[in-house]
Amino acid sequence: MKSPFRTCREVTALVLGGEDRPLRWSERLAIRFHMRICATCPVFARQVQLMRQALPRWRAYSDAPQPPPPGVSTTN
């Protein structure tokens, strides 16, 4: 088993990988250890979480029909 202590680069890859696949317990444990000693990686993880939450809302907004611009008639 790999050491539970990982670099910021490795933790970043794990956080992003966790978006695409379930992480093994050892990977989740390594992230938890690292987050306790690092000041910047928790910020990155929160940003990833925020993007994950915002993406469905953005998709719903971009898929919604848009009203015509002011001054443009929709009748022929």
mmCIF file of all heavy atoms in Angstrom, residues 13-23 52:
data_model
loop_
_atom_site.group_PDB
_atom_site.id
_atom_site.type_symbol
_atom_site.label_atom_id
_atom_site.label_comp_id
_atom_site.label_asym_id
_atom_site.label_seq_id
_atom_site.Cartn_x
_atom_site.Cartn_y
_atom_site.Cartn_z
ATOM 1 N N ALA A 13 -5.060 15.497 -8.135
ATOM 2 C CA ALA A 13 -5.456 14.459 -9.092
ATOM 3 C C ALA A 13 -6.518 13.540 -8.493
ATOM 4 O O ALA A 13 -7.466 13.137 -9.183
ATOM 5 C CB ALA A 13 -4.232 13.656 -9.533
ATOM 6 N N LEU A 14 -6.387 13.216 -7.217
ATOM 7 C CA LEU A 14 -7.392 12.367 -6.570
ATOM 8 C C LEU A 14 -8.736 13.077 -6.455
ATOM 9 O O LEU A 14 -9.788 12.464 -6.687
ATOM 10 C CB LEU A 14 -6.907 11.934 -5.182
ATOM 11 C CG LEU A 14 -5.807 10.884 -5.147
ATOM 12 C CD1 LEU A 14 -5.330 10.660 -3.712
ATOM 13 C CD2 LEU A 14 -6.288 9.577 -5.751
ATOM 14 N N VAL A 15 -8.714 14.351 -6.087
ATOM 15 C CA VAL A 15 -9.966 15.107 -5.971
ATOM 16 C C VAL A 15 -10.670 15.145 -7.332
ATOM 17 O O VAL A 15 -11.871 14.898 -7.427
ATOM 18 C CB VAL A 15 -9.703 16.535 -5.432
ATOM 19 C CG1 VAL A 15 -10.928 17.424 -5.600
ATOM 20 C CG2 VAL A 15 -9.278 16.477 -3.973
ATOM 21 N N LEU A 16 -9.927 15.427 -8.379
ATOM 22 C CA LEU A 16 -10.523 15.454 -9.725
ATOM 23 C C LEU A 16 -10.943 14.061 -10.170
ATOM 24 O O LEU A 16 -11.982 13.890 -10.800
ATOM 25 C CB LEU A 16 -9.546 16.074 -10.717
ATOM 26 C CG LEU A 16 -9.270 17.562 -10.509
ATOM 27 C CD1 LEU A 16 -8.184 18.039 -11.466
ATOM 28 C CD2 LEU A 16 -10.524 18.377 -10.661
ATOM 29 N N GLY A 17 -10.146 13.059 -9.834
ATOM 30 C CA GLY A 17 -10.500 11.678 -10.180
ATOM 31 C C GLY A 17 -11.769 11.228 -9.481
ATOM 32 O O GLY A 17 -12.541 10.436 -10.033
ATOM 33 N N GLY A 18 -11.980 11.736 -8.272
ATOM 34 C CA GLY A 18 -13.194 11.404 -7.543
ATOM 35 C C GLY A 18 -14.458 11.925 -8.196
ATOM 36 O O GLY A 18 -15.551 11.484 -7.878
ATOM 37 N N GLU A 19 -14.314 12.847 -9.111
ATOM 38 C CA GLU A 19 -15.459 13.329 -9.879
ATOM 39 C C GLU A 19 -15.899 12.303 -10.924
ATOM 40 O O GLU A 19 -17.052 12.283 -11.325
ATOM 41 C CB GLU A 19 -15.112 14.639 -10.593
ATOM 42 C CG GLU A 19 -14.866 15.804 -9.667
ATOM 43 C CD GLU A 19 -16.127 16.216 -8.942
ATOM 44 O OE1 GLU A 19 -17.158 16.444 -9.601
ATOM 45 O OE2 GLU A 19 -16.076 16.294 -7.703
ATOM 46 N N ASP A 20 -14.961 11.475 -11.367
ATOM 47 C CA ASP A 20 -15.237 10.534 -12.451
ATOM 48 C C ASP A 20 -15.412 9.090 -12.001
ATOM 49 O O ASP A 20 -15.996 8.296 -12.721
ATOM 50 C CB ASP A 20 -14.094 10.571 -13.476
ATOM 51 C CG ASP A 20 -13.925 11.935 -14.101
ATOM 52 O OD1 ASP A 20 -14.953 12.633 -14.267
ATOM 53 O OD2 ASP A 20 -12.783 12.314 -14.408
ATOM 54 N N ARG A 21 -14.883 8.764 -10.840
ATOM 55 C CA ARG A 21 -14.936 7.375 -10.382
ATOM 56 C C ARG A 21 -14.968 7.344 -8.864
ATOM 57 O O ARG A 21 -14.530 8.283 -8.214
ATOM 58 C CB ARG A 21 -13.713 6.608 -10.880
ATOM 59 C CG ARG A 21 -12.406 7.121 -10.282
ATOM 60 C CD ARG A 21 -11.194 6.294 -10.714
ATOM 61 N NE ARG A 21 -9.965 6.873 -10.232
ATOM 62 C CZ ARG A 21 -9.458 6.671 -9.021
ATOM 63 N NH1 ARG A 21 -10.090 5.904 -8.163
ATOM 64 N NH2 ARG A 21 -8.320 7.239 -8.654
ATOM 65 N N PRO A 22 -15.473 6.251 -8.309
ATOM 66 C CA PRO A 22 -15.421 6.119 -6.850
ATOM 67 C C PRO A 22 -13.977 5.901 -6.400
ATOM 68 O O PRO A 22 -13.241 5.119 -7.007
ATOM 69 C CB PRO A 22 -16.267 4.874 -6.567
ATOM 70 C CG PRO A 22 -16.925 4.504 -7.841
ATOM 71 C CD PRO A 22 -16.210 5.191 -8.958
ATOM 72 N N LEU A 23 -13.564 6.596 -5.357
ATOM 73 C CA LEU A 23 -12.205 6.454 -4.852
ATOM 74 C C LEU A 23 -12.131 5.273 -3.884
ATOM 75 O O LEU A 23 -13.087 4.984 -3.168
ATOM 76 C CB LEU A 23 -11.763 7.727 -4.135
ATOM 77 C CG LEU A 23 -11.691 8.991 -4.987
ATOM 78 C CD1 LEU A 23 -11.308 10.177 -4.117
ATOM 79 C CD2 LEU A 23 -10.703 8.820 -6.118
ATOM 80 N N ARG A 52 -19.176 21.628 -9.411
ATOM 81 C CA ARG A 52 -20.062 20.480 -9.588
ATOM 82 C C ARG A 52 -21.505 20.879 -9.319
ATOM 83 O O ARG A 52 -22.423 20.466 -10.022
ATOM 84 C CB ARG A 52 -19.652 19.344 -8.663
ATOM 85 C CG ARG A 52 -20.493 18.108 -8.871
ATOM 86 C CD ARG A 52 -20.198 16.925 -7.967
ATOM 87 N NE ARG A 52 -18.951 16.936 -7.272
ATOM 88 C CZ ARG A 52 -18.840 17.030 -5.942
ATOM 89 N NH1 ARG A 52 -19.899 17.146 -5.190
ATOM 90 N NH2 ARG A 52 -17.659 17.002 -5.367
#
